[in-house]
Amino acid sequence: MPEAFEQDYTLQQLQQVTQAINNGQFVQVRRILAETPPCDTALLLESSPNKIRKQLWQLVDPDIQGDVLEELSEDVRIGIIHQMDPELIAAATEDMDDDDLGEVLRSLPDDVYQDVVGAMDAQDRERATQALSYQEGSAGALMSTDTVTIRPDVTLDVVLRYLRLRGELPDGTDDLYVVDKENQFIGALPVATLLTKSPDKVVSELMDDEKETIPVSMDESEVAQLFERHNWISAAVVDDNNLQLLGRITIDDIVDVIREDAEHSMLSMAGLDDEEDTFAPVLKSSQRRSIWLGINLLTALLAAFVASFFESTLDILPILAVLNGIVPSMGGVAGSQTLTLVIRGIALGHINNTNQKFLLGKELAIGALNGILWSLLIAGVVALWQWDFVLGAVIAFAMFMNLLAAGIAGASIPIILKRMNIDPALAGSVVLTTVTDIVGIFAFLGTATLFLT
C-alpha cells in the first residue's frame, strides 16, 4: 500500500472512529477495530487524543491486545498499560515474543510488575525472567528463543519430515540452525538449500559452517549495522563465548531499532524524547520540554553576560548592536552542519580512533575556507553599507574566527561527549550553540573595542 494512500486511509479511519465514539456508536467502533490489523489499530491509538484513546482501547478485542501492544511506541504503551489490571496485562502478554515481552515488562513500575508476574502461569513467568535477564539495548533483549534447530548428521529428508510434524515455522525463518548435542552452534542450513537439494544429502555437507553469529551482549545499534552490511533476514544469537545457541534476531526487530535510532537523533537535537507521545497530557509534555528550555536559557544568559563586557562599546557605536547577531548566527549554522554529519558518522560506525584526526583536520580546512569566503562577502557588504572599511574588516575577522571555531567545535564536541558516555545527539547542539555564541560575540565586540573605540 503506497504511503500516501495508507496515511489517507488511516485518517479516514480515525475520523470515522472518532465520529462514532462521539455519537455513542460503540458497537460500530468495535466492528471497525475487529476488521483492522493490529498494526493499524496501534496507529489509530497513537493518532488519537488521550480521551478517545482510552475509549478505543476498551473496545479492542482482548484476544489481540497483546499484538497491538507490541506495535505501540513506548510512551503510548506505558500510558495504556497503566489503565489495565495486572491480570489483563498478563493475559495480553501471553503469546508475545520474548523480546516484546521483555520490553513491555521493563516499562512497568515495580509494584505493577510484581502483580503482573504473579498473575502469569509458570511457563510465562519463566519466559519473563529469561527475557529480563538481558540488558536493555543488547542483542539479548532483541532476540526470540523461538528457533528451529537440527543435527548435522541427518539427511534433508529427515529434516523435511521433522518440519512437517512441527507444522509451522517461526516468522522470518530463512535459516535452520545446526547444533550439536550440547546445543552449541555449528552452522546454518538455508531453507532455500533444504528445498532445492537432494533429500538424500546430509546436513553437514550443505550447511554454512562459517555463518556469522551475534554475541548476546552486543549493543543493538551494532547488531543493526551488521544486518545492514550483510543484508540478513535473521541471525543466530550465541553466548559471549560464541558457543551456546540462545536464540535469533529477525529483520523486523532491526527495522524498529533503525527507526528508533533515527527518531532519537532527530528529536534529541530539539531536546525531545524519541518515544514521547504526540498527544501526551499538557503538564507531562511541558515538564519534559522545560528541562531543555531551561538549559537553553542558561546558555543564552551566558552569551548575554559576555556581551555585557562591551556595553560601553555598544553605547558608542550602536551599529554594532545591529550587526552583533550576524556572526553568532553564521557560526551556529556552520557548526550545526558539521555536528549533524559527525553524529551521523558516529551512529553508523564510520568514525573511530584511527580517523578522528583526519576528520578534525578536514573540518578545520572547511571552516577556514568558508571563513575566508563569507568574511570577504560580509566585509564588502558592511563597508559599502556603512562606508566604514575598518568596521568591515572587524566583522570579517570575527566571521572568520567564528566559522573556524564552529568547524572545530562541530567535529570535536560529539567525539568528546561520546567518550564521556553522554549522548551527542542530546547534548551536542546545546554545547555547540554556547561555543559559537560566545566566540562570535567576543570576537566581534572585542575586536571592535580594540579598533573602533
Side-chain angles (χ1 to χ4, degrees), residues 7 12 32 49 118 132 136 151 169 179 190 201 215 225 262 266 282 286 312 322 334-335 345 384 413 435 439 441 449:
Q7 291 175 345
Q12 292 174 5
I32 293 172
L132 293 174
E136 188 175 5
R151 295 282 186 262
L169 293 175
V179 297
K201 291 285 187 180
Q225 291 172 17
M266 179 181 67
V282 172
S286 179
S312 59
V322 177
L384 293 175
I413 286 172
V435 171
V439 171
I441 292 171
T449 301

Side-chain angles (χ1 to χ4, degrees), residues 40-68:
D40 289 339
T41 300
L43 185 57
L44 282 174
L45 288 165
E46 291 176 343
S47 305
S48 302
N50 204 40
K51 181 180 178 181
I52 300 294
R53 182 184 295 161
K54 289 180 180 179
Q55 294 173 308
L56 275 176
W57 181 250
Q58 294 172 359
L59 298 172
V60 174
D61 187 345
D63 292 338
I64 66 166
Q65 284 185 347
D67 297 328
V68 176

Side-chain angles (χ1 to χ4, degrees), residues 6 27 34 105 116-117 129 147 150 153 186 233 246 252 265 289 301 307 314 345 362 399 439-440:
E6 184 176 354
V27 175
L105 294 179
V116 171
V117 172
T129 303
T147 61
I150 55 177
D153 55 353
I186 300 175
I233 295 175
L246 300 177
D252 59 313
S265 296
R289 300 182 193 186
L301 288 173
L314 292 170
K362 174 196 167 186
M399 181 75 75
V439 171

